[in-house]
Amino acid sequence: MQPCKIGVYVCQCGTNIAKVVDCEDVVAFAATLPHVVLSKTYKYMCSNPGQDMIVQDIQSHGLDRVVVAACSPRMHERTFRNALQVAGLNPYFFEMANIREHCSWVHEDHVAATEKAKALVRGAVFRVARHEALERKTVDMCPEVLVLGGGVSGLTAALDIAEAGYRVRLVERQGALGGNLARIDLTAPYLNAARDLLTERITRVTENERIDVLLHSRLVNLEGFIGNYRATVETRDADNPPRKTEFLVGNVIVATGYQEFDAGRITHYGYGKLPNVVTSFEFEQMLRQGRVQMDDGRLPRFVSIVHCVGSRSQEFHGYCSRVCCMTALKYAHEVRSAIPGCRVSDIYIDMHAFGKGHEDFYRRSSEVKTLFLMYRKGDRPVIRKAQPSDGCDMLIEVNEQLSGETIEIPSDLVVLMVGMEARSDAHEVARLVNISQDKEGWFIESHPKLDPVATTTDGIYIAGTCAAPKDIPDTVAQARASAARILAKVARGKIEVDAVYAEVDEARCSGCRICNDLCPYSAIEFDLEKKVSRVISAVCKACGACGSACPSGAIKARHFTDAQIFAQIEGVLR
């Protein structure tokens, strides 16, 4: 091992790390380690001043290795690698020790946490001394883009890319474009017609010669890597036999949307048994047809709107579906407009008026004499058929929190605000495009704050409500962000591939194919002629699954060599 000069930087992360770990003590300890010529601490190493400090120290002190003890490498490893590159140092001469998630956040004993932080830093120092300079590769970029989903998110992304001059294949499972937004009457808080929003988008898409719209179609296979994907799409419609189309694309945007929660899963509401209990989407259909009426055609005198059906419930979905509160207020306005004498009750857990103009919309809803009643999270209103003497079709029993009393609310029509949930076919889509899902079935982004539209598979982006519940402005913003990310890559003509990937020594490979089946990224192919496996470097994420399982020891992971890993283990355990 050649002599080297290592700089160690310990981040306080505000108080996230410093409140548990003695950062000054860790800095003093790091200064005693072999090859360390400089050690410092700073409040926020990821900030611009923190990065500038590293750049200046590399240039003024001649540092050729850098260790940052801070948060998860998943969050800021790329940030600090870029800082090394700015300073003229190979970015792979960097190592990160996680003393936040692995230390300060999981320990309360300050002394023990500080000692653990020292061990993690020592492991990082021992490892970085054995790092090698790695160079990234470039591959050609196919400029065409595949968009899955013809809702407002997919339409927006397709238009942005096509209007920049590139061809788009827009795949939609249904026979028409528009997605869930096509089922909506008006949008909150300004009561604009959803039909108008969609008509403009759909017209522009269908008239754009660079956009190929494939209806009644679905993706059945996707092979390759960023810039060089081969997609197979199957089209099935009533008039023609099923047919498959293959084409090359450089990037994919997944904008497959959501499905509504099945209200029949909650027995307390009587959905499916009481004819005048309807879901929000069924009520939207009434509004689009210009009628608000009961199942026998009578006009309701009492309309009740129940929030959080399937949302904010440990039994079903613990998350908030975000749009339900403002949609419920919209219904109050529409009902009062259609039937001025109707009494509207709004039964909620919390009122989430988070968006632009929503708080004012909430105020205006109270002015149209909507009756607001609050029930406790974990509780549910109970809906039952009323007696003829009650003067209404149903009674809703609510343990009302503001008054502290159990109240019976008369109702002729009950609207259940069903929450959003991941589509039932989301798992199939995730498997095809090789992305992950969370415990609720939503697609997982590369980073929830810093990279909310990319995924861990390069070239695959997510947009809209396939990632999580969101409203129309956020959906459109995410779609345009996905398009912008792709256009930035396509404009270069080539794509840069990370230098960290696995390599197969063909002389030692026995052709057992164990690695082919293990690879979670489908990054390993088998050469039938040579009878050996080969890693597609552009797809590989250096997870190590193949190298650890290879019985021949033929697979080496660049930047995760045996020497580097053993050095880190020695440093941590010494």
Side-chain angles (χ1 to χ4, degrees), residues 283 292-294 297-303 335 339 341-343 411-413:
F283 190 62
V292 176
Q293 62 186 36
M294 300 165 63
R298 290 181 296 138
L299 296 181
R301 292 185 303 146
F302 307 98
V303 172
V335 168
I339 312 171
C342 184
R343 291 172 55 185
S411 186
D412 294 320
L413 182 64

Side-chain angles (χ1 to χ4, degrees), residues 130-161:
R130 297 182 178 275
H131 279 198
E132 302 167 347
L134 302 178
E135 298 300 326
R136 294 169 176 161
K137 293 182 177 181
T138 58
V139 294
D140 291 333
M141 167 69 75
C142 173
E144 295 190 14
V145 179
L146 171 64
V147 178
L148 301 178
V152 65
S153 180
L155 294 170
T156 301
L159 278 171
D160 279 9
I161 294 167

Side-chain angles (χ1 to χ4, degrees), residues 28 102 145 157 164 207 228 276 286 327 334 343 350 369 413 434 481 516 555 566:
H102 288 177
V145 179
E207 291 179 352
N228 296 270
N276 291 310
M286 286 190 196
T327 303
E334 291 185 278
R343 291 172 55 185
D350 295 305
K369 298 183 179 179
L413 182 64
N434 200 23
N516 299 54
I555 300 179
F566 286 135

